[in-house]
Amino acid sequence: MGKDVIIACDFSSKDETLAFLDKFQGRKPYVKIGMELFYAAGPDIVREIKARGHKIFLDLKLHDIPNTVKKAMSVLSNLDVDMTNLHAAGTVRMMEGALEGLTRPDGTRPLLIAVTQLTSTDQESMEQDLLIKEPIAEVVMHYAQNAKRAGLDGVVCSPLEAEKVHNACGKSFITVTPGVRFADGDKGDQKRVMTPAEAKRIGSDYIVVGRPVTQAADPVAAYERCVREFVD
Ligand code: C5P
């Protein structure tokens, strides 16, 4: 699996996003489009960024009954994204339906990865709000194994979990890891962070980097630093 740096384009408008991407001129970084931008700018923003030659991870975290997710995934595969995701909590059946919907008539499909437990969920909220009593690390691993059983390609997880996921689900099961910061950078609201070099060492397949690139004085230089540390 080719390692890559994915830039989280957490902007609220098409103009802001395209102005940001214009800075990269010849380079075509892998781009993550999340709910904020997708709901603000609609599917056209995906088509436009794709037409400019970028790969796209569409991060919409689907979670609904299997039939609805299957149909929604079919629409997303027509948008020609390269990677998309859902919540593993939707059950193995929902994940199987999603894969079915995502697969195009010619048999190709975008990568499909699962969110296990959100990093904003902690042991206490899982127990109190969701009535799940097991240790969170076990829940994450169980959800990752469910995703693998359903035929998915990997999971989004904290860089600190990537090694364990590979041990439990195999090296070819993709780990996509946000929470990346430069050693000399600001952590912002991310609590458990790793540098791109550390993420490489523990075997992440893709890192998702937002503010350290989007808010940098020189975003292209910050992106290139990520690539140097993580990929080269
Ligand atoms: O700006 P920053 O590098 O923290 O952005 C990280 C990106 O990864 C954001 O788009 C955030 O929503 C996403 N993400 C995350 N933690 C997760 C899942 C997704 O930070 N567990």
Side-chain angles (χ1 to χ4, degrees):
M1 183 55 56
K3 287 185 182 291
D4 212 344
V5 174
I6 303 177
I7 303 178
C9 283
D10 293 324
F11 300 112
S12 56
S13 76
K14 176 175 164 176
D15 290 351
E16 213 183 333
T17 310
L18 296 181
F20 170 75
L21 292 177
D22 281 344
K23 296 183 181 159
F24 288 81
Q25 299 180 332
R27 296 208 69 156
K28 302 288 178 193
Y30 208 130
V31 164
K32 179 170 92 73
I33 298 176
M35 291 183 203
E36 183 187 6
L37 182 57
F38 191 79
Y39 293 150
D44 276 349
I45 186 73
V46 175
R47 294 189 189 98
E48 185 142 1
I49 294 176
K50 192 75 197 172
R52 287 171 166 230
H54 297 267
K55 284 190 164 180
I56 296 179
F57 168 23
L58 190 56
D59 176 19
L60 298 181
K61 300 187 179 72
L62 272 64
H63 188 172
D64 207 317
I65 60 171
N67 187 55
T68 302
V69 170
K70 177 179 164 182
K71 289 184 167 170
M73 285 293 182
S74 166
V75 174
L76 297 187
S77 80
N78 287 334
L79 268 183
D80 202 20
V81 297
D82 298 279
M83 186 190 297
T84 191
N85 62 0
L86 45 61
H87 274 283
T91 74
V92 170
R93 237 185 91 217
M94 187 201 79
M95 291 192 269
E96 289 169 345
L99 263 189
E100 224 179 292
L102 205 56
T103 306
R104 305 181 184 105
D106 65 0
T108 63
R109 62 167 177 81
L111 292 172
L112 182 59
I113 59 172
V115 175
T116 56
Q117 280 292 350
L118 292 169
T119 44
S120 51
T121 306
D122 59 11
Q123 188 71 38
E124 192 187 340
S125 54
M126 213 179 60
E127 288 182 15
Q128 306 276 317
D129 301 354
L130 308 178
L131 285 184
I132 299 173
K133 304 292 180 198
E134 283 73 17
I136 195 159
E138 266 178 45
V139 175
V140 167
M141 245 13 89
H142 181 66
Y143 284 13
Q145 283 166 322
N146 282 351
K148 166 125 179 150
R149 188 148 65 89
L152 268 65
D153 302 294
V155 287
V156 187
C157 62
S158 135
L160 301 156
E161 291 157 352
E163 201 166 11
K164 267 200 204 154
V165 169
H166 278 143
N167 290 340
C169 300
K171 284 270 174 281
S172 61
F173 195 66
I174 297 168
T175 53
V176 179
T177 60
V180 173
R181 292 293 179 266
F182 293 120
D184 51 0
D186 181 9
K187 278 195 194 176
D189 53 359
Q190 295 279 17
K191 293 200 168 52
R192 302 183 302 147
V193 298
M194 263 194 191
T195 66
E198 284 165 343
K200 177 182 185 174
R201 217 163 23 249
I202 54 93
S204 292
D205 297 291
Y206 295 87
I207 51 172
V208 175
V209 192
R211 287 158 293 180
V213 170
T214 58
Q215 307 300 311
D218 184 345
V220 179
Y223 168 72
E224 280 170 353
R225 182 175 172 191
C226 288
V227 172
R228 267 196 317 278
E229 285 193 25
F230 182 68
V231 184
D232 294 344

